[in-house]
Amino acid sequence: MAPPGQSQRSSSPSQPAGKGEVADVKTQLRNLAGSRAPGVDDSKRELFKKVISYMTIGIDVSSVFGEMVMCSATSDIVLKKMCYLYVGNYAKVNPDLALLTINFLQRDCKDEDPMIRGLALRSLCSLRVTNLVEYLVGPLGAGLKDNNSYVRMIAVMGVLKLYHISASTCVDADFPTTLKHLLLNDRETQVVANCLSALQEIWSLGGSASEEVSREREILLSKPVIYYLLNRIREFSEWAQCLVLELVAKYVPADPNEIFDVMNLLEDRLQHANGAVVLATTKVFLQLTLSMTDVHQQVYERIKAPLLTLVSSGSPEQSYAVLSHLHLLVMRAPFIFSSDYKHFYCQYNEPSYVKRLKLEMLTAVANESNTYEIVTELCEYAANVDIPIARESIRAVGKIALQQYDVNAIVDRLLQFLEMEKDYVTAEALVLVKDLLRKYPQWSQDCIAVVGNISSKNVQEPKAKAALIWMLGEYSQEMHDAPYILEGLIENWEDEHSAEVRLHLLTAVMKCFFKRPPETQKSLGAALAAGLADFHQDVHDRALFYYRLLQYKISVAEQVVNPPKQAVSVFADTQSSEIKDRIFDEFNSLSVVYQKPSYMFTYKEHRGPFEFSDEIGNVSIGTESADTVDPNRVEANDKDLLLSTSEKEETRGLNNSSSAYSAPSYDASSVSVPTSQLSGLVISNPSVSGNAPQSSFAIDDLLGLGLAVAPAPAPSPPPLKLNPKAVLDPTSFQQKWRQLPISLSQEYSMNPQGVAALTTPQALLRHMQGQAIHCIASGGQSPNFKFFFFAQKAEDSSTFLVECVVNTSSAKAQIKIKADDQSATRPFSSVFQSALSKFGMP
C-alpha cells in the first residue's frame, strides 16, 4: 500500500496535485542545471515536457524561469525549442524575467548550428519588450548577413517585428535598405519573399502621406523590380508566388506590349495545381486588361477552363471559393459562360452551400439557347430531399422566367409546381406566379385558373399567403370565389400572426370592393374594423388611411388603391453596380466569397447592427463566455438576449394574447368593436375639422360603420408604481430572460428630440434611471443602439425585463418585454413608452 502522501499525488504529469509539484520540478531542474552526467539531456527533456504541459493547461510555472534558462545551456535542439517556447510565453507578461534571457539568447545567436541561431533569433525578436530593443539590433544585423538562408529568413521577419515594437530604432539601423538589397540580390527565393512581405507591411504602416514611403512604393512597383520577380517566379513557393502576383496586379504597364509580356510570362501559372496561384494569376490578367475591351474578353475565355477545372477537382471548400469568383465573372460576362452551363449542374454529394451557388450561376448563364435544358434540370431539383435547395431551384426557375427567355414553357412548369402536393413547393410557386403576373399580365387567365383551385387553408407561409391574397385582390373579377375567400380570411383575422399578410389582406379587400362592391361590402367593413383595432402600427395606419380615403371620396380611393397598372419591366437588383465593381477590384479575397466589399466587414462602422464595441458593454453577437459577469455589463452568452433587428417578430405567440398592443387612436377618436358582429364598428367622427364631408355618413352606412355614441370608458386601473432602488444582478437577469416568455413585442416611434439626444448609450441610461427603469447592459454605435433594462414594482418584487433596440436613422425603437406578472405587462409598457417619449424633451 502506497504512503498517504504519494497516494494523493496525481500520476499524470499534466495534473499536479498542488504547489508541491512545481517546487519538485524546480528542485530537479536546479540539480540538473550544471550536470554533465550521461543521460542528463533525457532527464531534462522529461522535466521540460512537464513544465510545458503545466504551462499549457494554465498553471503558473513562472517560478522555474531561472532554472529553465540555466538548463538551456545544451546542444540538444529539442531542449532549445522547448526552452524558447517557455521563455517567449512568460516574457510577454513579465518583462523583468525577459532580462534574464538576453544573455543566453544572444549567445545562441552565435551558435555554430544555423538551426539554433535561427531559433534563438526568432525567440529574441518575439520577446516584444520595448526596453529591450537595443539588444535586438546587433543580432538582427548579423542575421541579415548570415551565410545560412534559414537564419536570413528569420532575420527578415525579425526586422518587421522590431518595426512594430520601435519603428524609429528599425529605421535608424537602416534595416529597410538592407531588406531592399536582399530583395534584389539574395539567391534564396524564400528570403526574397519574406523581404517583399516585410517591406510592403513596413511601408503600409509608414503612412500613405509620407513622400519617402510613396517613393519607396514606386520603386517596388517599377518595371525592373516587377520583371526581376516575374523571371524568378517559378523558383518561389506557392505562398511566395501569390505574394508576387498580388504585387504584379498593382503594376501599371507603360504600353500594351508590356501587358502582353507580363501575360506571356504568367501563362503557365494558369495551369498550376494550387488554386490560390491560379486565382492570383487570373486577377493579374483581369486587372491588366481592364482598359482593353477586346483583350479583356479574350482573357475571360482563357481563364474559363482553368477555373472550371479547379471547381471539379478540388475539395468542396475550394470549389466554393473558386465558384464564388466564377460567379462574379459570370455576372459580368454571362454570355461567355453560357455554353458551359452543364459545369454548374448540382452533384448529389455536394454540400448545400455549393449547390446554392451553382443555382445562382445557372440563373445567370441562362439564355435563349440553353433555357429549356437549364429549367428542366432545375425542375428535377424541386423534388430534392434537401428542402432549402428545392426552394432555391424553384426561385431560380422564376428568375429565369423574369429574364424573358422562353416564357411559355417556364409558366407551364411553374403551374405544375402549384399542383404538387408539397407545401413548400406550392408556397414558392405562388410567390413566383405573383411576380410573373406583374411582368406578364397576359398570362393571368392561365395562372388564375390554377391558383383558384388552391385552398387558402393549405397555404401557411406568410409570403406565399400574401402572394395568394394579392392575386385574389388584383384578379377578383376573374376569380369567382375571390370575395368569399377574402371574407373567410378576414373572419380569421385574429389567428393571422403575420403583419405582412394582414396588410395585403386590407389592400386586397379594397381592390375587390371596387370591382365587386355588393359581395365585398360586409368584408371591407370587417377588415377596416379589425385593422383599426390591430396591435401592429403599420396595419392600424393603413386601415385608418383607407377609411379616410373612403370618407373623402370613393373615386379618389379607387385611383389611389387600384389605379391602372403597367407591367413591371425590370425588378430591382439587390446590389448596386458600384458595389459589384468594388468587389471586382478586390478579386481573390474574402470580399468575393462574402459578396460584399471589404469595408463592410472590416471597419467597425460597417459591421452588423449589433456588433458592439468592447468599450461599450462588451456585448457581441454569437460569442459565449463562462467568465465572471461584471456588475455593469452582461456578457453575451445567451442567444435569446442578443437577437438582431434583422430577425422579424413574425409571430405574436400565445403569451401575447393577454397583452396585445392596442394601436393608439388617431387624434380624438375612440374605437370600439361590439362583440355581436365583427363588421359593426362604432367610431366617433375622426375628422380634425368640424365640417366633415357629407359622404362620410354614406360610407359609414355602406360599410356598416354607423355613427354612435361610444360607450363610457371603463375606469382606468391605478397607475403602476416602480421601485426607484430596484436591484438585479446580471446572472439573475440572464436566467429570468431565458425562462420567461415574451409578453409583449412592439415597435415604437421616438420623438425627434430624443433621436437627436441619443449620441451615446449613456444619455438614455441616465434618463431612464430617473424614471425608475434601470439598465443592466448596453452597446452599439450610431445609428444602432441596444439596451437591456429592468424594473420592479414598488409594492412587490415582481420584475419586468426589457430589450430595447433603437435605430436613430429610422427613429424607431423595437421593444420586447418579459414579466413575472403577465397581467402587468401592458401598464408597464405604457410607463416605459411614456419614459421613452420624454427623452430629449426640455
Side-chain angles (χ1 to χ4, degrees):
M1 184 175 178
Q6 295 181 6
S7 63
Q8 296 175 359
R9 181 173 297 179
S10 172
S11 59
S12 172
S14 61
Q15 298 183 15
K19 295 182 179 179
E21 283 285 335
V22 178
D24 289 347
V25 172
K26 182 175 183 178
T27 303
Q28 294 178 51
L29 284 173
R30 185 175 300 170
N31 295 335
L32 295 175
S35 175
R36 296 181 178 271
V40 69
D41 285 345
D42 293 336
S43 301
K44 287 182 180 179
R45 279 194 185 190
E46 293 302 319
L47 291 173
F48 274 33
K49 287 179 183 178
K50 189 177 292 188
V51 171
I52 297 298
S53 176
Y54 292 169
M55 182 179 71
T56 303
I57 62 175
I59 296 174
D60 183 13
V61 286
S62 59
S63 59
V64 301
F65 195 94
E67 286 73 15
M68 290 286 289
V69 172
M70 287 189 292
C71 288
S72 65
T74 177
S75 59
D76 190 334
I77 194 168
V78 176
L79 285 175
K80 291 282 188 185
K81 287 183 177 181
M82 287 193 286
C83 183
Y84 295 154
L85 176 62
Y86 172 86
V87 167
N89 182 70
Y90 281 105
K92 296 176 184 177
V93 296
N94 197 337
D96 295 333
L97 292 178
L99 287 170
L100 302 175
T101 66
I102 295 298
N103 289 333
F104 93 88
L105 286 176
Q106 286 184 325
R107 182 177 66 249
D108 286 349
C109 287
K110 301 175 183 178
D111 196 276
E112 295 179 357
D113 188 344
M115 183 65 70
I116 292 179
R117 293 202 303 272
L119 289 173
L121 184 57
R122 182 172 65 181
S123 300
L124 186 61
C125 296
S126 298
L127 296 179
R128 304 200 178 193
V129 180
T130 306
N131 57 1
L132 300 180
V133 291
E134 65 269 18
Y135 298 105
L136 304 181
V137 177
L140 277 177
L144 292 172
K145 300 175 183 178
D146 199 281
N147 293 328
N148 188 273
S149 60
Y150 173 74
V151 180
R152 295 199 301 277
M153 285 166 42
I154 297 296
V156 170
M157 301 313 294
V159 170
L160 181 58
K161 293 177 182 178
L162 175 61
Y163 189 87
H164 280 282
I165 301 171
S166 176
S168 58
T169 303
C170 183
V171 174
D172 292 343
D174 206 21
F175 284 146
T177 304
T178 306
L179 294 187
K180 275 198 301 182
H181 175 77
L182 290 174
L183 174 69
L184 299 175
N185 297 281
D186 201 288
R187 61 185 180 274
E188 178 59 42
T189 53
Q190 192 58 48
V191 177
V192 175
N194 283 10
C195 289
L196 178 60
S197 177
L199 285 173
Q200 284 184 304
E201 186 167 346
I202 287 173
W203 290 334
S204 66
L205 294 172
S208 57
S210 171
E211 293 183 4
E212 182 179 356
V213 170
S214 300
R215 186 169 59 255
E216 295 292 352
R217 287 177 180 170
E218 292 177 2
I219 294 174
L220 192 61
L221 290 171
S222 62
K223 181 177 179 180
V225 175
I226 295 295
Y227 274 50
Y228 167 76
L229 294 174
L230 286 176
N231 287 325
R232 297 191 62 184
I233 194 168
R234 293 175 181 81
E235 305 172 21
F236 287 97
S237 65
E238 294 167 343
W239 171 83
Q241 288 184 37
C242 293
L243 199 62
V244 171
L245 291 169
E246 191 65 30
L247 179 69
V248 175
K250 301 175 184 177
Y251 174 61
V252 181
D255 53 59
N257 291 331
E258 280 192 32
I259 294 177
F260 291 115
D261 289 342
V262 172
M263 293 171 67
N264 288 333
L265 282 170
L266 296 176
E267 177 73 18
D268 61 336
R269 297 298 91 190
L270 289 173
Q271 309 301 325
H272 202 282
N274 186 277
V277 175
V278 176
L279 286 175
T281 307
T282 300
K283 180 177 182 178
V284 173
F285 280 37
L286 293 172
Q287 293 292 336
L288 290 179
T289 58
L290 275 177
S291 60
M292 306 166 67
T293 307
D294 295 337
V295 179
H296 193 68
Q297 182 173 336
Q298 294 174 16
V299 166
Y300 276 81
E301 294 284 358
R302 177 65 187 87
I303 64 179
K304 180 171 62 173
L307 292 179
L308 290 174
T309 301
L310 282 176
V311 170
S312 58
S313 61
S315 62
E317 293 78 12
Q318 175 179 301
S319 296
Y320 183 78
V322 178
L323 273 173
S324 298
H325 289 78
L326 266 173
H327 178 259
L328 179 63
L329 299 179
V330 165
M331 299 303 292
R332 292 176 67 90
F335 59 92
I336 293 178
F337 297 88
S338 60
S339 61
D340 301 285
Y341 63 91
K342 290 186 179 180
H343 285 88
F344 307 134
Y345 282 179
C346 298
Q347 305 297 322
Y348 75 95
N349 58 346
E350 288 178 332
S352 297
Y353 54 86
V354 174
K355 291 180 180 179
R356 190 173 293 110
L357 195 54
K358 282 189 172 183
L359 291 176
E360 292 182 17
M361 299 178 73
L362 284 172
T363 304
V365 301
N367 59 21
E368 294 89 341
S369 62
N370 59 23
T371 295
Y372 181 79
E373 291 80 5
I374 291 178
V375 171
T376 302
E377 181 72 13
L378 291 174
C379 289
E380 295 295 327
Y381 303 154
N384 198 301
V385 293
D386 189 349
I387 293 179
I389 295 301
R391 289 178 180 271
E392 289 292 339
S393 64
I394 299 171
R395 292 171 193 161
V397 173
K399 289 177 184 177
I400 294 174
L402 297 177
Q403 294 172 0
Q404 298 181 350
Y405 299 136
D406 194 13
V407 179
N408 299 345
I410 298 177
V411 171
D412 292 339
R413 297 294 181 89
L414 286 176
L415 295 181
Q416 290 176 11
F417 288 151
L418 290 175
E419 298 173 355
M420 294 180 65
E421 297 180 356
K422 293 185 178 180
D423 294 342
Y424 62 89
V425 174
T426 304
E428 294 295 338
L430 279 172
V431 176
L432 294 176
V433 168
K434 182 198 74 171
D435 291 338
L436 278 175
L437 291 177
R438 292 176 63 198
K439 187 166 186 178
Y440 308 112
Q442 65 271 22
W443 286 95
S444 60
Q445 187 173 357
D446 294 336
C447 294
I448 294 305
V450 178
V451 172
N453 296 326
I454 299 175
S455 173
S456 60
K457 296 180 180 179
N458 297 331
V459 182
Q460 300 299 325
E461 297 186 18
K463 288 187 177 181
K465 186 176 285 189
L468 177 60
I469 292 172
W470 179 88
M471 287 183 275
L472 289 171
E474 194 69 25
Y475 299 98
S476 54
Q477 286 180 325
E478 291 84 354
M479 302 177 71
H480 177 71
D481 295 333
Y484 311 106
I485 297 174
L486 291 173
E487 183 179 3
L489 291 169
I490 294 169
E491 289 175 355
N492 297 318
W493 181 282
E494 293 298 326
D495 298 330
E496 183 53 61
H497 301 309
S498 172
E500 180 184 9
V501 173
R502 300 199 298 277
L503 288 169
H504 275 79
L505 191 54
L506 277 173
T507 305
V509 75
M510 281 284 287
K511 291 179 180 178
C512 189
F513 172 75
F514 296 130
K515 297 172 183 177
R516 300 168 67 173
E519 300 165 276
T520 320
Q521 172 185 337
K522 182 179 178 182
S523 300
L524 179 58
L528 292 176
L532 287 168
D534 199 278
F535 78 98
H536 196 281
Q537 189 69 44
D538 291 340
V539 178
H540 168 82
D541 290 350
R542 182 171 295 189
L544 185 60
F545 173 66
Y546 287 163
Y547 176 75
R548 291 298 174 82
L549 277 175
L550 293 170
Q551 253 191 338
Y552 177 73
K553 199 171 187 180
I554 293 181
S555 60
V556 173
E558 184 175 8
Q559 293 175 7
V560 172
V561 179
N562 191 38
K565 298 181 182 65
Q566 294 182 350
V568 177
S569 57
V570 179
F571 286 84
D573 197 350
T574 55
Q575 280 190 339
S576 66
S577 57
E578 181 182 353
I579 293 292
K580 292 178 180 178
D581 291 340
R582 181 70 177 267
I583 295 174
F584 181 78
D585 293 337
E586 298 174 3
F587 194 88
N588 193 26
S589 70
L590 280 177
S591 299
V592 181
V593 178
Y594 291 162
Q595 296 185 10
K596 60 179 68 173
S598 58
Y599 70 84
M600 289 187 175
F601 58 87
T602 53
Y603 297 161
K604 284 188 176 181
E605 58 267 26
H606 293 288
R607 291 177 182 171
F610 299 115
E611 189 73 20
F612 294 162
S613 62
D614 292 337
E615 300 80 31
I616 308 177
N618 197 25
V619 183
S620 59
I621 300 297
T623 59
E624 295 189 2
S625 172
D627 298 335
T628 303
V629 181
D630 186 271
N632 298 322
R633 64 183 65 178
V634 175
E635 294 294 333
N637 59 353
D638 186 356
K639 294 180 180 178
D640 193 22
L641 285 175
L642 301 169
L643 295 177
S644 65
T645 52
S646 63
E647 297 177 43
K648 297 181 179 180
E649 187 70 26
E650 290 293 334
T651 61
R652 288 175 285 175
L654 297 175
N655 295 302
N656 288 5
S657 59
S658 62
S659 58
Y661 170 63
S662 178
S665 59
Y666 186 86
D667 292 338
S669 63
S670 62
V671 179
S672 63
V673 183
T675 57
S676 59
Q677 56 176 3
L678 183 63
S679 61
L681 176 65
V682 181
I683 180 170
S684 62
N685 190 354
S687 299
V688 177
S689 62
N691 299 322
Q694 294 298 320
S695 62
S696 66
F697 294 95
I699 195 64
D700 289 340
D701 291 340
L702 177 67
L703 301 179
L705 304 177
L707 290 175
V709 180
S716 59
L720 181 68
K721 294 183 180 180
L722 300 178
N723 180 8
K725 298 181 180 180
V727 177
L728 184 67
D729 64 276
T731 303
S732 300
F733 183 96
Q734 293 189 60
Q735 291 175 351
K736 281 180 173 290
W737 188 271
R738 283 192 292 264
Q739 295 168 0
L740 294 174
I742 296 177
S743 303
L744 181 61
S745 178
Q746 63 191 58
E747 189 174 74
Y748 174 75
S749 297
M750 296 186 63
N751 63 66
Q753 295 88 345
V755 172
L758 187 57
T759 54
T760 62
Q762 285 71 22
L764 182 59
L765 305 190
R766 291 190 292 268
H767 169 77
M768 299 300 282
Q769 189 170 5
Q771 308 293 323
I773 300 174
H774 308 274
C775 181
I776 200 165
S778 65
Q781 52 192 357
S782 183
N784 297 298
F785 297 93
K786 190 172 188 178
F787 306 88
F788 289 106
F789 295 102
F790 72 92
Q792 291 178 347
K793 283 185 179 181
E795 58 271 15
D796 57 42
S797 59
S798 179
T799 305
F800 303 95
L801 311 180
V802 184
E803 178 194 77
C804 181
V805 178
V806 180
N807 184 289
T808 55
S809 61
S810 62
K812 297 286 187 181
Q814 292 185 351
I815 302 170
K816 293 180 184 177
I817 300 176
K818 299 185 177 185
D820 291 334
D821 182 5
Q822 300 284 329
S823 62
T825 302
R826 191 169 179 180
F828 174 74
S829 173
S830 301
V831 173
F832 188 89
Q833 289 188 36
S834 175
L836 202 60
S837 65
K838 296 176 183 177
F839 177 58
M841 302 296 289

